[in-house]
Amino acid sequence: MAIVHRLLRSAAAAFSPAAAAARRGLSALAAEQTLERNVQWVFLGCPGVGKGTYASRLSQLVGVPHIATGDLVREELASSGPLSQQLAEIVNQGKLVSDEIIIDLLSKRLERGETKGESGFILDGFPRTVGQAEILEGVTEIDLVVNLKLREDVLLEKCLGRRTCSQCGGNFNIASINAEEGNGKPRICMPPLLPPANCMSKLITRADDTEEVVKKRLHIYNEMSRPVEEFYRKRGKLLEFDLPGGIPESWPKLLQALNIEDHDDKQCAVA
Ligand code: AMP
Protein backbone atom coordinates (compact mmCIF):
# COMPACT_ATOMS: atom_id res chain seq x y z
CA MET A 1 0.00 0.00 0.00
CA ALA A 2 3.01 2.30 0.39
CA ILE A 3 2.93 3.13 -3.24
CA VAL A 4 -0.77 4.08 -3.09
CA HIS A 5 -0.39 6.99 -0.72
CA ARG A 6 2.79 8.20 -2.42
CA LEU A 7 1.12 8.18 -5.79
CA LEU A 8 -2.08 9.75 -4.44
CA ARG A 9 0.04 12.49 -2.96
CA SER A 10 1.85 13.10 -6.21
CA ALA A 11 -1.53 13.19 -7.94
CA ALA A 12 -2.76 15.79 -5.43
CA ALA A 13 0.29 17.92 -6.16
CA ALA A 14 -0.23 17.62 -9.86
CA PHE A 15 -3.70 18.89 -10.75
CA SER A 16 -2.75 20.22 -14.17
CA PRO A 17 -3.24 19.06 -17.75
CA ALA A 18 0.47 18.28 -17.90
CA ALA A 19 -0.04 15.92 -15.00
CA ALA A 20 -2.48 13.80 -17.00
CA ALA A 21 0.33 12.22 -18.99
CA ALA A 22 2.24 11.46 -15.79
CA ARG A 23 -0.87 9.87 -14.31
CA ARG A 24 -1.15 7.50 -17.25
CA GLY A 25 2.34 6.24 -16.45
CA LEU A 26 1.32 5.51 -12.87
CA SER A 27 -0.97 2.65 -13.85
CA ALA A 28 2.05 0.58 -14.83
CA LEU A 29 3.50 1.01 -11.37
CA ALA A 30 0.15 0.23 -9.76
CA ALA A 31 -0.05 -3.08 -11.58
CA GLU A 32 3.01 -4.25 -9.68
CA GLN A 33 1.28 -3.96 -6.33
CA THR A 34 -1.96 -5.85 -6.95
CA LEU A 35 -0.33 -9.21 -6.30
CA GLU A 36 -0.55 -10.67 -2.81
CA ARG A 37 -2.57 -7.97 -1.15
CA ASN A 38 -5.75 -7.55 0.88
CA VAL A 39 -9.05 -6.42 -0.61
CA GLN A 40 -9.42 -2.89 -1.95
CA TRP A 41 -13.12 -2.08 -1.98
CA VAL A 42 -15.16 1.11 -2.33
CA PHE A 43 -18.59 1.88 -0.86
CA LEU A 44 -20.76 4.30 -2.83
CA GLY A 45 -24.19 5.62 -1.95
CA CYS A 46 -26.15 8.72 -1.02
CA PRO A 47 -25.70 10.51 2.32
CA GLY A 48 -27.41 8.55 5.09
CA VAL A 49 -27.63 5.27 3.19
CA GLY A 50 -25.44 3.45 5.73
CA LYS A 51 -22.04 3.31 4.01
CA GLY A 52 -20.27 3.86 7.33
CA THR A 53 -22.27 1.20 9.17
CA TYR A 54 -21.77 -1.56 6.61
CA ALA A 55 -18.23 -0.61 5.56
CA SER A 56 -17.14 -0.61 9.19
CA ARG A 57 -18.72 -4.04 9.89
CA LEU A 58 -17.20 -5.51 6.75
CA SER A 59 -13.78 -4.08 7.48
CA GLN A 60 -13.73 -5.98 10.78
CA LEU A 61 -14.82 -9.14 9.04
CA VAL A 62 -12.28 -9.05 6.23
CA GLY A 63 -9.49 -7.51 8.32
CA VAL A 64 -8.82 -4.30 6.42
CA PRO A 65 -9.16 -0.69 7.57
CA HIS A 66 -12.38 1.21 6.99
CA ILE A 67 -11.38 4.63 5.70
CA ALA A 68 -14.16 7.24 5.53
CA THR A 69 -13.08 10.52 3.95
CA GLY A 70 -15.96 12.27 5.78
CA ASP A 71 -14.31 11.21 9.08
CA LEU A 72 -10.94 12.53 7.85
CA VAL A 73 -12.60 15.85 7.02
CA ARG A 74 -14.29 16.02 10.45
CA GLU A 75 -10.97 15.19 12.20
CA GLU A 76 -9.28 18.00 10.29
CA LEU A 77 -12.15 20.33 11.21
CA ALA A 78 -11.83 19.46 14.88
CA SER A 79 -8.06 19.93 14.87
CA SER A 80 -8.28 23.71 14.39
CA GLY A 81 -5.51 23.37 11.82
CA PRO A 82 -4.99 25.82 8.95
CA LEU A 83 -7.71 24.18 6.84
CA SER A 84 -10.39 23.93 9.50
CA GLN A 85 -12.19 27.24 8.93
CA GLN A 86 -12.28 26.71 5.16
CA LEU A 87 -13.51 23.13 5.58
CA ALA A 88 -16.23 24.12 8.08
CA GLU A 89 -17.75 26.52 5.56
CA ILE A 90 -17.75 23.94 2.78
CA VAL A 91 -19.04 21.01 4.84
CA ASN A 92 -21.73 22.99 6.67
CA GLN A 93 -23.16 24.09 3.34
CA GLY A 94 -23.27 20.49 2.13
CA LYS A 95 -20.71 21.12 -0.63
CA LEU A 96 -17.81 18.91 -1.63
CA VAL A 97 -14.28 19.63 -0.51
CA SER A 98 -11.82 20.04 -3.40
CA ASP A 99 -10.32 16.88 -4.90
CA GLU A 100 -6.89 18.22 -3.99
CA ILE A 101 -7.64 18.56 -0.25
CA ILE A 102 -9.45 15.21 -0.07
CA ILE A 103 -6.61 13.36 -1.78
CA ASP A 104 -4.10 14.99 0.52
CA LEU A 105 -6.11 13.91 3.62
CA LEU A 106 -6.53 10.39 2.22
CA SER A 107 -2.89 9.92 1.30
CA LYS A 108 -1.82 11.05 4.80
CA ARG A 109 -4.28 8.54 6.31
CA LEU A 110 -2.90 5.73 4.15
CA GLU A 111 0.63 6.69 5.16
CA ARG A 112 -0.27 6.56 8.88
CA GLY A 113 -1.90 3.16 8.30
CA GLU A 114 1.13 1.85 6.51
CA THR A 115 3.39 2.66 9.46
CA LYS A 116 1.00 0.51 11.57
CA GLY A 117 1.24 -2.35 9.09
CA GLU A 118 -2.20 -1.91 7.51
CA SER A 119 -2.89 -3.34 4.09
CA GLY A 120 -5.97 -3.22 1.87
CA PHE A 121 -8.94 -0.94 2.60
CA ILE A 122 -12.63 -0.30 2.35
CA LEU A 123 -13.10 3.28 1.22
CA ASP A 124 -16.30 5.02 2.27
CA GLY A 125 -17.23 8.36 0.69
CA PHE A 126 -14.34 8.28 -1.79
CA PRO A 127 -14.32 8.65 -4.75
CA ARG A 128 -17.15 11.18 -4.92
CA THR A 129 -16.32 12.71 -8.29
CA VAL A 130 -15.24 11.16 -11.56
CA GLY A 131 -11.97 13.11 -11.20
CA GLN A 132 -11.28 11.33 -7.87
CA ALA A 133 -12.22 7.96 -9.42
CA GLU A 134 -9.78 8.56 -12.28
CA ILE A 135 -6.97 9.44 -9.90
CA LEU A 136 -7.66 6.37 -7.79
CA GLU A 137 -7.75 4.19 -10.90
CA GLY A 138 -4.42 5.67 -11.95
CA VAL A 139 -2.70 4.60 -8.74
CA THR A 140 -4.23 1.28 -7.72
CA GLU A 141 -6.65 -1.48 -8.64
CA ILE A 142 -10.09 -1.42 -7.01
CA ASP A 143 -11.50 -4.94 -6.77
CA LEU A 144 -15.15 -4.19 -6.04
CA VAL A 145 -17.48 -1.21 -5.67
CA VAL A 146 -20.61 -1.69 -3.58
CA ASN A 147 -23.40 0.75 -4.40
CA LEU A 148 -25.84 0.93 -1.48
CA LYS A 149 -29.31 2.16 -2.41
CA LEU A 150 -32.32 3.36 -0.43
CA ARG A 151 -35.42 5.52 -1.12
CA GLU A 152 -34.65 9.24 -0.96
CA ASP A 153 -37.42 10.04 1.56
CA VAL A 154 -35.95 7.39 3.89
CA LEU A 155 -32.44 8.83 3.42
CA LEU A 156 -33.65 12.20 4.65
CA GLU A 157 -35.35 10.70 7.72
CA LYS A 158 -32.24 8.66 8.49
CA CYS A 159 -29.93 11.68 8.31
CA LEU A 160 -32.24 13.74 10.53
CA GLY A 161 -32.29 10.92 13.12
CA ARG A 162 -28.50 10.41 13.25
CA ARG A 163 -26.80 11.00 16.60
CA THR A 164 -23.24 10.44 17.81
CA CYS A 165 -22.13 10.05 21.43
CA SER A 166 -19.64 12.85 22.07
CA GLN A 167 -17.85 10.68 24.63
CA CYS A 168 -17.59 7.14 23.20
CA GLY A 169 -18.02 8.09 19.52
CA GLY A 170 -20.82 5.52 19.05
CA ASN A 171 -23.25 6.13 16.18
CA PHE A 172 -27.00 5.84 16.77
CA ASN A 173 -30.26 6.71 15.07
CA ILE A 174 -33.37 7.88 16.87
CA ALA A 175 -35.62 7.77 13.77
CA SER A 176 -38.34 5.15 13.66
CA ILE A 177 -38.91 4.66 9.95
CA ASN A 178 -42.00 3.09 8.45
CA ALA A 179 -42.23 4.22 4.84
CA GLU A 180 -45.21 2.85 2.97
CA GLU A 181 -44.98 1.11 -0.37
CA GLY A 182 -46.08 3.25 -3.31
CA ASN A 183 -45.09 4.78 -6.66
CA GLY A 184 -42.86 1.80 -7.35
CA LYS A 185 -41.03 2.25 -4.04
CA PRO A 186 -40.78 -0.72 -1.68
CA ARG A 187 -42.04 -0.53 1.91
CA ILE A 188 -39.13 0.14 4.29
CA CYS A 189 -39.20 -0.36 8.07
CA MET A 190 -36.24 0.58 10.22
CA PRO A 191 -36.49 0.58 13.98
CA PRO A 192 -34.41 3.17 15.83
CA LEU A 193 -30.90 2.26 16.91
CA LEU A 194 -31.02 3.77 20.40
CA PRO A 195 -27.94 4.52 22.52
CA PRO A 196 -27.36 2.96 25.93
CA ALA A 197 -28.55 5.06 28.91
CA ASN A 198 -25.06 6.42 29.67
CA CYS A 199 -24.71 7.95 26.19
CA MET A 200 -28.19 9.50 26.19
CA SER A 201 -27.18 12.89 27.61
CA LYS A 202 -24.09 13.16 25.40
CA LEU A 203 -25.68 12.82 22.00
CA ILE A 204 -24.73 15.31 19.31
CA THR A 205 -26.03 15.90 15.79
CA ARG A 206 -23.75 16.61 12.83
CA ALA A 207 -23.94 20.25 11.72
CA ASP A 208 -24.62 19.09 8.15
CA ASP A 209 -27.54 16.82 9.14
CA THR A 210 -30.18 19.58 8.99
CA GLU A 211 -33.05 19.20 6.50
CA GLU A 212 -31.78 22.03 4.29
CA VAL A 213 -28.20 20.75 4.15
CA VAL A 214 -29.18 17.08 3.68
CA LYS A 215 -31.35 18.07 0.69
CA LYS A 216 -28.39 20.00 -0.73
CA ARG A 217 -26.07 17.01 -0.17
CA LEU A 218 -28.53 14.71 -1.94
CA HIS A 219 -28.67 17.15 -4.84
CA ILE A 220 -24.87 17.30 -5.01
CA TYR A 221 -24.69 13.50 -4.86
CA ASN A 222 -26.98 13.28 -7.89
CA GLU A 223 -24.94 15.88 -9.79
CA MET A 224 -21.36 15.00 -8.87
CA SER A 225 -21.30 11.46 -7.49
CA ARG A 226 -23.96 9.61 -9.50
CA PRO A 227 -21.58 9.60 -12.52
CA VAL A 228 -19.05 7.70 -10.37
CA GLU A 229 -21.54 4.79 -10.29
CA GLU A 230 -21.51 4.75 -14.09
CA PHE A 231 -17.69 4.96 -14.09
CA TYR A 232 -17.48 1.67 -12.18
CA ARG A 233 -20.52 0.10 -13.89
CA LYS A 234 -18.74 0.42 -17.22
CA ARG A 235 -15.72 -1.32 -15.75
CA GLY A 236 -17.84 -4.23 -14.50
CA LYS A 237 -16.97 -3.51 -10.85
CA LEU A 238 -20.28 -2.21 -9.51
CA LEU A 239 -22.36 -4.38 -7.19
CA GLU A 240 -25.81 -2.79 -6.77
CA PHE A 241 -27.37 -3.45 -3.39
CA ASP A 242 -30.89 -2.27 -2.47
CA LEU A 243 -31.12 -2.15 1.30
CA PRO A 244 -34.22 -4.10 2.31
CA GLY A 245 -34.53 -2.44 5.75
CA GLY A 246 -32.50 -2.00 8.92
CA ILE A 247 -29.27 -3.76 9.92
CA PRO A 248 -30.82 -7.11 11.00
CA GLU A 249 -32.42 -7.59 7.58
CA SER A 250 -29.75 -5.96 5.44
CA TRP A 251 -26.51 -7.32 6.93
CA PRO A 252 -27.06 -11.03 6.15
CA LYS A 253 -28.27 -10.17 2.65
CA LEU A 254 -25.25 -7.98 2.00
CA LEU A 255 -22.92 -10.76 3.15
CA GLN A 256 -24.76 -13.16 0.85
CA ALA A 257 -24.39 -10.74 -2.08
CA LEU A 258 -20.68 -10.50 -1.34
CA ASN A 259 -20.33 -14.23 -0.86
CA ILE A 260 -18.91 -13.75 2.63
CA GLU A 261 -19.58 -15.98 5.60
CA ASP A 262 -19.81 -14.53 9.08
CA HIS A 263 -19.26 -17.16 11.75
CA ASP A 264 -19.56 -15.83 15.27
CA ASP A 265 -15.98 -16.31 16.32
CA LYS A 266 -14.33 -17.70 13.21
CA GLN A 267 -14.74 -15.01 10.59
CA CYS A 268 -14.04 -16.01 7.06
CA ALA A 269 -14.27 -14.10 3.81
CA VAL A 270 -14.78 -15.80 0.48
CA ALA A 271 -15.08 -12.87 -1.85
P1 AMP B 1 -19.68 12.22 4.75
O1 AMP B 1 -19.43 11.93 6.19
O2 AMP B 1 -19.16 11.14 3.85
O3 AMP B 1 -21.11 12.58 4.48
O4 AMP B 1 -18.81 13.49 4.38
C1 AMP B 1 -19.01 14.74 5.04
C2 AMP B 1 -18.53 15.88 4.17
O5 AMP B 1 -17.11 15.75 3.94
C3 AMP B 1 -19.13 15.91 2.77
O6 AMP B 1 -20.40 16.53 2.73
C4 AMP B 1 -18.07 16.71 2.02
O7 AMP B 1 -18.14 18.08 2.33
C5 AMP B 1 -16.77 16.18 2.63
N1 AMP B 1 -16.27 15.01 1.87
C6 AMP B 1 -16.14 13.72 2.32
N2 AMP B 1 -15.63 12.93 1.37
C7 AMP B 1 -15.43 13.72 0.29
C8 AMP B 1 -14.92 13.49 -1.02
N3 AMP B 1 -14.51 12.26 -1.40
N4 AMP B 1 -14.84 14.54 -1.87
C9 AMP B 1 -15.22 15.77 -1.49
N5 AMP B 1 -15.72 16.07 -0.28
C10 AMP B 1 -15.83 15.06 0.62
Side-chain angles (χ1 to χ4, degrees):
M1 192 155 61
I3 199 165
V4 180
H5 71 73
R6 278 201 298 275
L7 294 181
L8 272 174
R9 189 164 283 177
S10 61
F15 270 72
S16 68
R23 252 179 260 157
R24 280 194 294 276
L26 298 178
S27 55
L29 281 169
E32 291 168 15
Q33 45 132 20
T34 54
L35 304 168
E36 307 268 329
R37 58 155 174 76
N38 282 336
V39 301
Q40 300 192 159
W41 290 350
V42 163
F43 265 63
L44 296 182
C46 288
V49 75
K51 296 185 295 295
T53 303
Y54 295 103
S56 143
R57 285 178 161 233
L58 271 174
S59 75
Q60 287 167 29
L61 203 56
V62 301
V64 297
H66 162 219
I67 302 179
T69 45
D71 289 345
L72 301 181
V73 168
R74 281 182 288 279
E75 276 165 28
E76 187 65 32
L77 266 173
S79 74
S80 314
L83 281 179
S84 61
Q85 180 62 31
Q86 187 193 346
L87 287 178
E89 278 169 28
I90 298 170
V91 173
N92 293 344
Q93 290 178 55
K95 295 181 183 164
L96 292 186
V97 172
S98 73
D99 289 352
E100 188 173 5
I101 291 177
I102 278 293
I103 285 168
D104 187 49
L105 292 176
L106 178 59
S107 60
K108 284 179 181 153
R109 167 63 187 80
L110 290 169
E111 198 171 348
R112 287 197 299 276
E114 190 209 342
T115 59
K116 291 191 282 174
E118 284 179 359
S119 108
F121 49 71
I122 298 182
L123 295 179
D124 153 7
F126 183 95
R128 246 175 165 107
T129 63
V130 169
Q132 292 175 11
E134 283 169 346
I135 288 170
L136 188 62
E137 183 176 59
V139 298
T140 196
E141 173 90 15
I142 294 301
D143 310 315
L144 180 71
V145 178
V146 181
N147 188 26
L148 295 183
K149 297 196 294 192
L150 199 54
R151 294 168 48 162
E152 200 154 295
D153 52 340
V154 172
L155 291 171
L156 180 62
E157 271 193 82
K158 275 192 75 195
C159 285
L160 299 182
R162 279 206 289 219
R163 299 291 182 274
T164 302
C165 174
S166 54
Q167 196 167 49
C168 74
N171 291 313
F172 308 100
N173 204 306
I174 59 167
S176 176
I177 297 173
N178 189 356
E180 292 300 328
E181 186 180 344
N183 294 335
K185 297 173 185 168
R187 179 163 191 246
I188 295 277
C189 290
M190 291 186 180
L193 184 61
L194 296 175
N198 53 336
C199 295
M200 213 44 129
S201 60
K202 298 161 198 130
L203 297 184
I204 50 170
T205 307
R206 275 171 52 168
D208 58 348
D209 271 345
T210 63
E211 182 163 352
E212 188 192 348
V213 180
V214 172
K215 284 184 173 162
K216 177 88 184 285
R217 285 160 61 207
L218 288 169
H219 176 74
I220 289 180
Y221 184 88
N222 286 324
E223 295 264 300
M224 309 289 291
S225 309
R226 199 69 78 188
V228 178
E229 297 175 9
E230 189 52 30
F231 179 93
Y232 287 116
R233 193 175 288 118
K234 274 195 204 146
R235 286 156 176 76
K237 298 201 169 179
L238 197 71
L239 175 79
E240 307 272 14
F241 188 78
D242 284 292
L243 288 155
I247 298 171
E249 274 173 280
S250 305
W251 177 238
K253 291 202 168 118
L254 179 62
L255 292 181
Q256 203 177 17
L258 290 168
N259 199 19
I260 291 177
E261 286 178 36
D262 182 8
H263 301 297
D264 278 343
D265 50 359
K266 185 176 172 293
Q267 299 177 336
C268 132
V270 193

mmCIF file of all heavy atoms in Angstrom, residues 185-204:
data_model
loop_
_atom_site.group_PDB
_atom_site.id
_atom_site.type_symbol
_atom_site.label_atom_id
_atom_site.label_comp_id
_atom_site.label_asym_id
_atom_site.label_seq_id
_atom_site.Cartn_x
_atom_site.Cartn_y
_atom_site.Cartn_z
ATOM 1 N N LYS A 185 -42.022 2.343 -5.108
ATOM 2 C CA LYS A 185 -41.025 2.249 -4.038
ATOM 3 C C LYS A 185 -41.421 1.138 -3.073
ATOM 4 O O LYS A 185 -42.600 1.019 -2.715
ATOM 5 C CB LYS A 185 -40.953 3.567 -3.261
ATOM 6 C CG LYS A 185 -40.507 4.752 -4.083
ATOM 7 C CD LYS A 185 -40.652 6.003 -3.221
ATOM 8 C CE LYS A 185 -40.335 7.264 -3.986
ATOM 9 N NZ LYS A 185 -40.745 8.446 -3.235
ATOM 10 N N PRO A 186 -40.448 0.361 -2.610
ATOM 11 C CA PRO A 186 -40.784 -0.716 -1.676
ATOM 12 C C PRO A 186 -41.060 -0.170 -0.277
ATOM 13 O O PRO A 186 -40.607 0.912 0.062
ATOM 14 C CB PRO A 186 -39.497 -1.552 -1.657
ATOM 15 C CG PRO A 186 -38.418 -0.577 -1.957
ATOM 16 C CD PRO A 186 -39.015 0.460 -2.873
ATOM 17 N N ARG A 187 -41.824 -0.923 0.513
ATOM 18 C CA ARG A 187 -42.041 -0.527 1.914
ATOM 19 C C ARG A 187 -40.718 -0.719 2.675
ATOM 20 O O ARG A 187 -40.025 -1.721 2.479
ATOM 21 C CB ARG A 187 -43.128 -1.419 2.521
ATOM 22 C CG ARG A 187 -43.407 -1.110 3.958
ATOM 23 C CD ARG A 187 -44.741 -1.703 4.397
ATOM 24 N NE ARG A 187 -45.076 -1.159 5.691
ATOM 25 C CZ ARG A 187 -45.138 -1.890 6.800
ATOM 26 N NH1 ARG A 187 -44.941 -3.182 6.759
ATOM 27 N NH2 ARG A 187 -45.433 -1.327 7.954
ATOM 28 N N ILE A 188 -40.376 0.248 3.518
ATOM 29 C CA ILE A 188 -39.130 0.141 4.294
ATOM 30 C C ILE A 188 -39.430 0.409 5.769
ATOM 31 O O ILE A 188 -39.993 1.450 6.119
ATOM 32 C CB ILE A 188 -38.076 1.183 3.811
ATOM 33 C CG1 ILE A 188 -37.631 0.908 2.373
ATOM 34 C CG2 ILE A 188 -36.872 1.244 4.744
ATOM 35 C CD1 ILE A 188 -36.548 -0.131 2.201
ATOM 36 N N CYS A 189 -39.058 -0.540 6.622
ATOM 37 C CA CYS A 189 -39.198 -0.358 8.070
ATOM 38 C C CYS A 189 -37.820 -0.403 8.701
ATOM 39 O O CYS A 189 -37.051 -1.333 8.423
ATOM 40 C CB CYS A 189 -40.002 -1.493 8.702
ATOM 41 S SG CYS A 189 -41.702 -1.435 8.244
ATOM 42 N N MET A 190 -37.516 0.583 9.505
ATOM 43 C CA MET A 190 -36.236 0.579 10.222
ATOM 44 C C MET A 190 -36.487 1.037 11.646
ATOM 45 O O MET A 190 -36.814 2.209 11.866
ATOM 46 C CB MET A 190 -35.243 1.544 9.568
ATOM 47 C CG MET A 190 -34.760 1.093 8.223
ATOM 48 S SD MET A 190 -33.491 2.237 7.666
ATOM 49 C CE MET A 190 -33.094 1.503 6.113
ATOM 50 N N PRO A 191 -36.315 0.140 12.594
ATOM 51 C CA PRO A 191 -36.492 0.577 13.979
ATOM 52 C C PRO A 191 -35.334 1.485 14.388
ATOM 53 O O PRO A 191 -34.271 1.438 13.777
ATOM 54 C CB PRO A 191 -36.457 -0.744 14.767
ATOM 55 C CG PRO A 191 -35.771 -1.710 13.869
ATOM 56 C CD PRO A 191 -35.931 -1.249 12.463
ATOM 57 N N PRO A 192 -35.525 2.315 15.401
ATOM 58 C CA PRO A 192 -34.407 3.172 15.829
ATOM 59 C C PRO A 192 -33.265 2.344 16.399
ATOM 60 O O PRO A 192 -33.487 1.225 16.868
ATOM 61 C CB PRO A 192 -35.020 4.056 16.922
ATOM 62 C CG PRO A 192 -36.326 3.468 17.258
ATOM 63 C CD PRO A 192 -36.730 2.498 16.196
ATOM 64 N N LEU A 193 -32.073 2.896 16.300
ATOM 65 C CA LEU A 193 -30.900 2.256 16.915
ATOM 66 C C LEU A 193 -30.533 3.159 18.092
ATOM 67 O O LEU A 193 -29.804 4.147 17.947
ATOM 68 C CB LEU A 193 -29.768 2.188 15.880
ATOM 69 C CG LEU A 193 -28.488 1.478 16.282
ATOM 70 C CD1 LEU A 193 -28.745 0.018 16.611
ATOM 71 C CD2 LEU A 193 -27.470 1.592 15.158
ATOM 72 N N LEU A 194 -31.133 2.853 19.260
ATOM 73 C CA LEU A 194 -31.025 3.767 20.400
ATOM 74 C C LEU A 194 -29.734 3.555 21.179
ATOM 75 O O LEU A 194 -29.241 2.418 21.280
ATOM 76 C CB LEU A 194 -32.239 3.592 21.318
ATOM 77 C CG LEU A 194 -33.574 3.980 20.666
ATOM 78 C CD1 LEU A 194 -34.740 3.653 21.595
ATOM 79 C CD2 LEU A 194 -33.587 5.467 20.287
ATOM 80 N N PRO A 195 -29.193 4.629 21.742
ATOM 81 C CA PRO A 195 -27.944 4.521 22.517
ATOM 82 C C PRO A 195 -28.219 3.933 23.900
ATOM 83 O O PRO A 195 -29.349 4.016 24.388
ATOM 84 C CB PRO A 195 -27.485 5.973 22.640
ATOM 85 C CG PRO A 195 -28.728 6.768 22.523
ATOM 86 C CD PRO A 195 -29.688 6.006 21.651
ATOM 87 N N PRO A 196 -27.180 3.394 24.543
ATOM 88 C CA PRO A 196 -27.360 2.964 25.931
ATOM 89 C C PRO A 196 -27.591 4.187 26.819
ATOM 90 O O PRO A 196 -27.257 5.315 26.431
ATOM 91 C CB PRO A 196 -26.032 2.276 26.274
ATOM 92 C CG PRO A 196 -25.058 2.745 25.256
ATOM 93 C CD PRO A 196 -25.818 3.156 24.042
ATOM 94 N N ALA A 197 -28.148 3.953 28.019
ATOM 95 C CA ALA A 197 -28.547 5.065 28.910
ATOM 96 C C ALA A 197 -27.394 6.036 29.175
ATOM 97 O O ALA A 197 -27.600 7.257 29.208
ATOM 98 C CB ALA A 197 -29.078 4.490 30.209
ATOM 99 N N ASN A 198 -26.153 5.506 29.320
ATOM 100 C CA ASN A 198 -25.057 6.423 29.674
ATOM 101 C C ASN A 198 -24.611 7.337 28.524
ATOM 102 O O ASN A 198 -23.860 8.284 28.737
ATOM 103 C CB ASN A 198 -23.860 5.667 30.283
ATOM 104 C CG ASN A 198 -23.386 4.534 29.414
ATOM 105 O OD1 ASN A 198 -24.169 4.014 28.604
ATOM 106 N ND2 ASN A 198 -22.136 4.137 29.542
ATOM 107 N N CYS A 199 -25.056 7.057 27.315
ATOM 108 C CA CYS A 199 -24.709 7.952 26.186
ATOM 109 C C CYS A 199 -25.808 9.001 25.969
ATOM 110 O O CYS A 199 -25.581 10.006 25.290
ATOM 111 C CB CYS A 199 -24.560 7.161 24.889
ATOM 112 S SG CYS A 199 -23.187 5.999 24.863
ATOM 113 N N MET A 200 -26.989 8.726 26.512
ATOM 114 C CA MET A 200 -28.188 9.498 26.189
ATOM 115 C C MET A 200 -27.995 11.014 26.316
ATOM 116 O O MET A 200 -28.405 11.774 25.450
ATOM 117 C CB MET A 200 -29.307 9.026 27.113
ATOM 118 C CG MET A 200 -30.682 9.058 26.550
ATOM 119 S SD MET A 200 -30.835 8.434 24.887
ATOM 120 C CE MET A 200 -32.153 7.277 25.043
ATOM 121 N N SER A 201 -27.307 11.447 27.380
ATOM 122 C CA SER A 201 -27.183 12.894 27.607
ATOM 123 C C SER A 201 -26.015 13.497 26.820
ATOM 124 O O SER A 201 -25.776 14.697 26.877
ATOM 125 C CB SER A 201 -26.992 13.162 29.100
ATOM 126 O OG SER A 201 -25.810 12.499 29.509
ATOM 127 N N LYS A 202 -25.284 12.625 26.094
ATOM 128 C CA LYS A 202 -24.091 13.157 25.404
ATOM 129 C C LYS A 202 -24.231 13.121 23.892
ATOM 130 O O LYS A 202 -23.254 13.218 23.162
ATOM 131 C CB LYS A 202 -22.857 12.309 25.808
ATOM 132 C CG LYS A 202 -22.561 12.365 27.291
ATOM 133 C CD LYS A 202 -21.693 11.213 27.751
ATOM 134 C CE LYS A 202 -21.791 11.045 29.253
ATOM 135 N NZ LYS A 202 -22.064 9.664 29.657
ATOM 136 N N LEU A 203 -25.476 12.953 23.450
ATOM 137 C CA LEU A 203 -25.676 12.824 21.998
ATOM 138 C C LEU A 203 -25.537 14.157 21.270
ATOM 139 O O LEU A 203 -26.027 15.174 21.741
ATOM 140 C CB LEU A 203 -27.064 12.248 21.710
ATOM 141 C CG LEU A 203 -27.325 10.831 22.227
ATOM 142 C CD1 LEU A 203 -28.705 10.353 21.787
ATOM 143 C CD2 LEU A 203 -26.254 9.855 21.735
ATOM 144 N N ILE A 204 -24.838 14.100 20.130
ATOM 145 C CA ILE A 204 -24.730 15.309 19.309
ATOM 146 C C ILE A 204 -25.186 14.991 17.883
ATOM 147 O O ILE A 204 -25.179 13.839 17.461
ATOM 148 C CB ILE A 204 -23.285 15.880 19.292
ATOM 149 C CG1 ILE A 204 -22.258 14.781 18.961
ATOM 150 C CG2 ILE A 204 -22.929 16.551 20.594
ATOM 151 C CD1 ILE A 204 -20.865 15.303 18.696
#
